[in-house]
Structures are given as structure tokens and as C-alpha cells.
Amino acid sequence: MTELCHSSPVRRLSHPAVLIAGILLIAMNLRAPFTSIAPLLERLHAALGFNATAAGLLMILPLLAFVVVSPWVPRLARRIGLERSLFLALMTIAAGIVLRVQGSTLSLYVGIGLIGAGIAVGNVLLPSLVKRSFAQHVALLTSCYVLTMGIMAAIASALMVPLAQGSSAGWQFAMLVVVILPVVTMGVWWPQLSHRSLPTAAKEAEKGAEKGAEKGAARPVRQAAVWRSPLAWQVTLFMGINSLLFYTVNSWLPSMLADNGFSPEKAGSLHGLLQLASALPGLILVPLMPRLKDQRLIAFATPCMSLAGFIGLWLMPGWALVWVLLLGAGSGASFILALSFMGLRARDAMQSASLSSMAQTLGYLLAAMGPPLIGALYDRQGDWQLALMVCASLSVLMAGIGWLAGRDRQLPEASASE
């Protein structure tokens, strides 16, 4: 990590240690505010009269917000800059956390939607910020911030029930405590607001617009070129299938385990372990990623871990502890790879933002479809066998796509003649 502090682009903007701290703190806000809801669903059901359909919608609402907001994020960054866009994201997350505990179903849904919108901005722009400020250390810093994201999500989930039990305000107090995360992060990030830095390509396009219409067209051409690139689609599908599988398991694992004789307490503990296991690959990938010439082998191997986990739950559910660890580690490692690809496969920060927007818009659209579709298979069959077979098949497809996305290649340069 010491080497990061010598990155010259960062020195022009801010002290690198402060910027790294800000990046890691922002990452802590990108999962915990909504994954920590799951342990409180029973209390929400009792307080607000939820049924299963309403609870399911609540869990995929942030993913739908990602789909709606992600395409607009690069435009926001070009207009007000990366730093201010990320600060606005933190404000939106904080507002959503406060709104969701006001005691009504409407405020809960709107609050969760705001949280999802704020997280969408952070999801898209954090890889671009890393690419701009630490171009030689994209994989290393991405692994670090995904690790902190997963650890904070696990901590928040573990604290929700004890906090609710220890306060007269119950679930409202527990869910409100999470507002500490964006508030502290805004305080650390505040010095960055003195810089209205745009991604490099955006600056170049603005200068080109002053010189003539030919260069002024560079930005839309660049974005169109990303959507036409087979490599961009490989990165997008790799992230999308992984997100679908992770959020499907995240939604249905307790039910899968309950149907195989696990107590609710044991199923809940294993669900928490899934969150923690998704953070653990960062401990390995932090030192490993910078040493890899390309990522083909690891991008092929991590979906195979998920494949083993799904087959294990299908054939030997009694060993659920092993399969949950494999599922969490496989999905967590694949998530780190997907985020790294957004920087490694792009030529500059603006192209990285466009690739990130594409991958996360379509990726989270797939993710939002996963839980209801897999749940429908369960309703039709009456058990989880077919659903697990489908998830295993998707893992095989993802492994093949990972081999392609992991090649040491970059997106083509955009030009007005394309």
C-alpha cells in the first residue's frame, strides 16, 4: 500500500493517504445499508404487516434503483466532477437511512430506494476514481475496498438484532445507527470538494468541443464504442451472472436450509457467514492481483467455486457450512474481478466510467431478475433441486465468460470516424 502514496496524479489533487481512506470509507457505504435489513425482516413484518411478496420486493428494490440510476452517473460526473458526485451519493444514502425509519411502509420503501440510488452512484464512480488516481494499482486498491465493503456488511448484519433488542425503539434504532457510516465518510471526504476534477477523457472532450464539432462528438462516440465492444459485453455478463447468483443465494439461502432441516437460528448464522465469506477473498487477491499478467485462470476458477457450492447444496445439504463458504468466497472473488476489469480493460478513467455504467446497469438488471425467477421455480417444483441446477448451469456459463474477460486486453479507442 505504501507504493500507492507515490502516485503522481493523486498528489496534484489531495494527500494520497486521505484519498485512500476516503475510498475505503465510501466502499463501506456500498453494501451494509441495505444488506443489513435481512436480519430485521421478521420485525418489519410484525411492525408494518409485511407479507412475503412485500419483503421480496424490499430486498430487490436497491437493485432496481441501480438499474435506473447507473446509466446517468457518467453524465453526473462530467457535470459536477467525481468528488462532488460521490459526496452527493453519500448525502443520498444518509437521507435514505433517516427516511426509512419514520415508521410507515411508504417511507421505508422510498428510503430504501434513495439508498439504492446513492449506492448506484458510488458503485459506478469508485472504479473510475481508482483508475484516475491510482492507475498503476487498480487491482490492488479494488481488492482492498471490496474487502472493507464485505467486512462492514458482515458487521452491520451481525449488529442489527442485538441493537434492536437493546433499544426501546427496536428495529428503527438499529436501522438508524447505520447513518453513522455516511456521516463519518462525508466528514473525511469533505476536503476533496475543493477539487472539481473530471475524468481525463471528459476534460479532453471538453477541450475538443472548444476547437470544433468533430472533437466535440468524442464523448457519445466513446460511449457507443463501449457498448459495441465484445470485451465490454464479456465484462458485463461476468458481473451480471455473478450478481444474479449472489443475490439469489442471499435471498433464498435461509429457505433452502430450512427445507433441509436446519433451524432458523442455524440458517441465519450461515446466512451471516455468507456475507463474511464474500469479503475473505480480498485477503488473497490484494497481494495476488498485482502479480497476475492476466486474470484468465482466476476468472475461470472463481465461478467453479460457486458451481461446487450449488452442487453441494443440491446433493449434500448436510455439509452446508462448506458450501456456504465456497459460495461466498466464489462470489466475492468474482465481484472483485468484475470491478477490477472496469479499470483494467479501460484505457482511461472516462472509458472506465462508461464500462462501469454499462456493466452495472445490465448486471444489476440480471441480479434483480434472479431472486423472483428462482423463487418461481421453487413454487412450481416444490423443492430447490431445479433452482440449484439452474444456478449451477449459470456458474458454468460464467466460467467460460470469465476466461474471455480475463484476457490481458483493453477496449478499443474511440474515434470520430467509427
Side-chain angles (χ1 to χ4, degrees):
M1 188 68 73
T2 304
E3 294 178 3
L4 296 179
C5 296
H6 299 291
S7 178
S8 58
V10 178
R11 231 183 317 197
R12 292 197 297 269
L13 296 174
S14 175
H15 192 284
V18 176
L19 185 55
I20 292 171
I23 289 171
L24 297 180
L25 281 168
I26 290 171
M28 293 182 186
N29 290 268
L30 301 185
R31 186 178 291 176
F34 81 89
T35 57
S36 59
I37 297 174
L40 298 175
L41 281 179
E42 289 297 324
R43 295 172 185 269
L44 291 174
H45 171 77
L48 301 176
F50 271 5
N51 57 26
T53 301
L57 178 60
L58 187 67
M59 295 306 294
I60 68 169
L61 188 58
L63 303 179
L64 297 176
F66 297 169
V67 173
V68 173
V69 174
S70 294
W72 302 96
V73 175
R75 182 179 299 182
L76 175 67
R78 286 194 297 269
R79 182 175 295 274
I80 68 174
L82 286 174
E83 291 83 1
R84 295 179 185 182
S85 297
L86 287 166
F87 191 84
L88 179 61
L90 293 167
M91 291 178 60
T92 304
I93 292 170
I97 291 172
V98 173
L99 183 60
R100 71 181 179 181
V101 300
Q102 297 308 306
S104 71
T105 301
L106 177 62
S107 64
L108 179 65
Y109 274 85
V110 175
I112 295 296
L114 284 175
I115 291 170
I119 291 175
V121 176
N123 280 340
V124 172
L125 292 185
L126 212 53
S128 181
L129 177 66
V130 170
K131 176 70 175 179
R132 184 207 69 189
S133 301
F134 302 100
Q136 303 303 312
H137 306 281
V138 169
L140 173 62
L141 195 53
T142 300
S143 298
C144 289
Y145 86 64
V146 172
L147 176 63
T148 62
M149 184 191 305
I151 290 174
M152 182 51 63
I155 292 172
S157 294
L159 289 177
M160 286 299 100
V161 172
L163 286 172
Q165 291 175 340
S167 170
S168 59
W171 65 268
Q172 291 170 292
F173 173 76
M175 291 174 66
L176 183 60
V177 166
V178 185
V179 80
I180 295 173
L181 280 175
V183 169
V184 170
T185 306
M186 282 190 284
V188 175
W189 195 248
W190 181 264
Q192 308 298 330
L193 300 187
S194 60
H195 311 289
R196 187 186 175 274
S197 64
L198 300 176
T200 302
K203 293 180 181 178
E204 292 173 352
E206 287 187 351
K207 291 179 181 178
E210 296 174 358
K211 295 179 181 179
E214 181 178 352
K215 290 187 178 180
R219 282 193 307 228
V221 169
R222 177 180 297 275
Q223 292 175 348
V226 169
W227 281 78
R228 292 197 301 266
S229 168
L231 178 58
W233 280 99
Q234 291 157 13
V235 172
T236 296
L237 287 173
F238 184 81
M239 177 173 182
I241 296 173
N242 183 63
S243 298
L244 184 155
L245 294 175
F246 174 76
Y247 286 106
T248 296
V249 174
N250 192 66
S251 298
W252 295 117
L253 179 64
S255 297
M256 292 178 183
L257 297 175
D259 279 9
N260 283 286
F262 287 77
S263 68
E265 292 78 13
K266 183 66 173 178
S269 298
L270 288 171
H271 184 268
L273 182 63
L274 176 73
Q275 305 294 330
L276 184 59
S278 69
L280 296 180
L283 297 173
I284 299 173
L285 293 181
V286 165
L288 177 62
M289 288 286 285
R291 295 175 169 83
L292 297 175
K293 182 178 180 181
D294 64 36
Q295 295 80 37
R296 284 177 295 179
L297 287 176
I298 193 168
F300 179 84
T302 54
C304 291
M305 296 172 65
S306 296
L307 172 63
F310 286 121
I311 292 176
L313 283 178
W314 172 26
L315 298 178
M316 293 182 288
W319 289 44
L321 175 62
V322 175
W323 314 133
V324 167
L325 287 172
L326 282 172
L327 287 168
S331 64
S334 297
F335 184 55
I336 292 173
L337 284 168
L339 292 179
S340 297
F341 289 158
M342 294 171 196
L344 295 172
R345 301 296 173 257
R347 294 181 179 272
D348 52 52
M350 195 61 240
Q351 196 177 60
S352 174
S354 296
L355 177 58
S356 179
S357 175
M358 173 184 174
Q360 299 200 48
T361 299
L362 298 182
Y364 286 119
L365 179 60
L366 282 173
M369 293 167 59
L373 288 177
I374 295 300
L377 287 177
Y378 173 78
D379 289 337
R380 181 174 180 176
Q381 298 296 123
D383 58 48
W384 292 103
Q385 291 190 7
L386 180 58
L388 289 169
M389 290 173 62
V390 170
C391 290
S393 300
L394 288 172
S395 299
V396 173
L397 176 61
M398 182 182 164
I401 294 171
W403 183 268
L404 297 174
R407 294 172 296 172
D408 186 16
R409 299 185 178 185
Q410 287 188 315
L411 297 173
E413 289 190 67
S415 64
S417 63
E418 288 183 327

